[in-house]
Amino acid sequence: MPLYKNKPRGGLLPELDNERPFQTDYVEPIAASVRQIQSAMGDELFHSLYLSGDVARREAGETADLSLLFVCKRTLNVQEHTALNTVRWRIEQSSDAIKRVLIDAVPLKEVTNLANIFRWGFFLKHCAVCLSGDNLSKSFGHFEVSWEVSKAMNDDLAVRLKDLRHKIAIATKWGPQLDAAQEAAERLIRASFGLVAHKERKWEFDLKPASEAFLSHYPDKLLEIERLFYLIERKPVKKRAVVALMDDFSAWVESEYAKIDRKIG
């Protein structure tokens, strides 16, 4: 069980404890991430760095993804993105405990824009811990699970899937193809859970309970969910089948978001 700070009153969600020590195998990769990103980006760009996922919740197994959010003072250019990708590769190679390093770089003005409060406010307050820099989570109050949060947390689904679809199409080796297929499947399951989170009145971080909550409302989608978990397990599947699953299921998910949004307003 993750250690949270005291849960606020009412139906508001708790935040992860930023003071609890990380699991031993992940301490050095986390420290290396902070050092290398700060060094590569410099004071001109570096605002703050956050960790999310199993490692942030102190629930990681023997291996896990290292999911990082880098808040930068301005939008990165091509060379700076390349430097960040080099850092990502070095961290992945530095520890047997790290399966993948995922780094999202988001400009400060986007994170602090009030129009994005249900996206970044919720994420920083309840899904991440600050590793370095000015902790923006302190700027936000506690949230409750709502339809607005579900929409905001998945509003980039189409853009992300388009990029992953392209990566699958151009992949010439199994490694990059399996990476992209796995990420696409994970995003689709999280987006599926977003359809029912406001009914469940809770936020699931793990994919298995998230999928189970979704299927309790949409049992007819069992086959699609089983196929998505097949991709998450990194089983080799032909490109055409992967893309067909992504396209068909994402189209359904997006239409369901639109349908629910019309009902709720």
Side-chain angles (χ1 to χ4, degrees), residues 36-46 70-90 103-107:
Q36 294 188 38
I37 292 175
Q38 284 181 326
S39 176
M41 299 294 100
D43 292 339
E44 176 193 351
L45 287 171
F46 190 93
F70 168 47
V71 177
C72 40
K73 294 179 180 178
R74 59 165 173 77
T75 302
L76 303 185
N77 59 35
V78 174
Q79 291 77 14
E80 290 157 351
H81 273 294
T82 300
L84 197 60
N85 192 52
T86 299
V87 170
R88 178 197 60 75
W89 181 84
R90 286 174 179 168
I103 307 178
D104 276 337
V106 183

Side-chain angles (χ1 to χ4, degrees), residues 174-195:
W174 275 115
Q177 180 179 330
L178 295 177
D179 288 344
Q182 178 183 353
E183 184 176 345
E186 290 170 352
R187 288 186 177 277
L188 283 167
I189 289 177
R190 295 191 191 286
S192 300
F193 171 70
L195 293 169

Side-chain angles (χ1 to χ4, degrees), residues 122-165:
F122 179 85
F123 178 82
L124 293 174
K125 196 69 176 179
H126 301 297
C127 305
V129 292
C130 183
L131 298 177
S132 182
D134 184 10
N135 187 357
L136 291 171
S137 72
K138 295 180 179 179
S139 304
F140 303 101
H142 291 80
F143 292 76
E144 62 182 358
V145 177
S146 66
W147 177 241
E148 288 78 11
V149 166
S150 290
K151 286 195 302 179
M153 292 293 284
N154 294 285
D155 66 351
D156 63 346
L157 180 66
V159 173
R160 296 280 189 160
L161 290 181
K162 181 180 179 180
D163 178 58
L164 292 169
R165 193 182 191 280

Side-chain angles (χ1 to χ4, degrees), residues 48-105:
S48 48
L49 185 67
Y50 303 84
L51 175 69
S52 61
D54 290 348
V55 179
R57 297 191 300 276
R58 288 71 165 178
E59 295 177 339
E62 293 183 358
T63 61
D65 293 339
L66 201 62
S67 301
L68 300 166
L69 171 69
F70 168 47
V71 177
C72 40
K73 294 179 180 178
R74 59 165 173 77
T75 302
L76 303 185
N77 59 35
V78 174
Q79 291 77 14
E80 290 157 351
H81 273 294
T82 300
L84 197 60
N85 192 52
T86 299
V87 170
R88 178 197 60 75
W89 181 84
R90 286 174 179 168
I91 299 167
E92 283 183 343
Q93 303 305 308
S94 70
S95 172
D96 292 336
I98 303 301
K99 291 193 291 187
R100 296 181 300 173
V101 175
L102 309 172
I103 307 178
D104 276 337

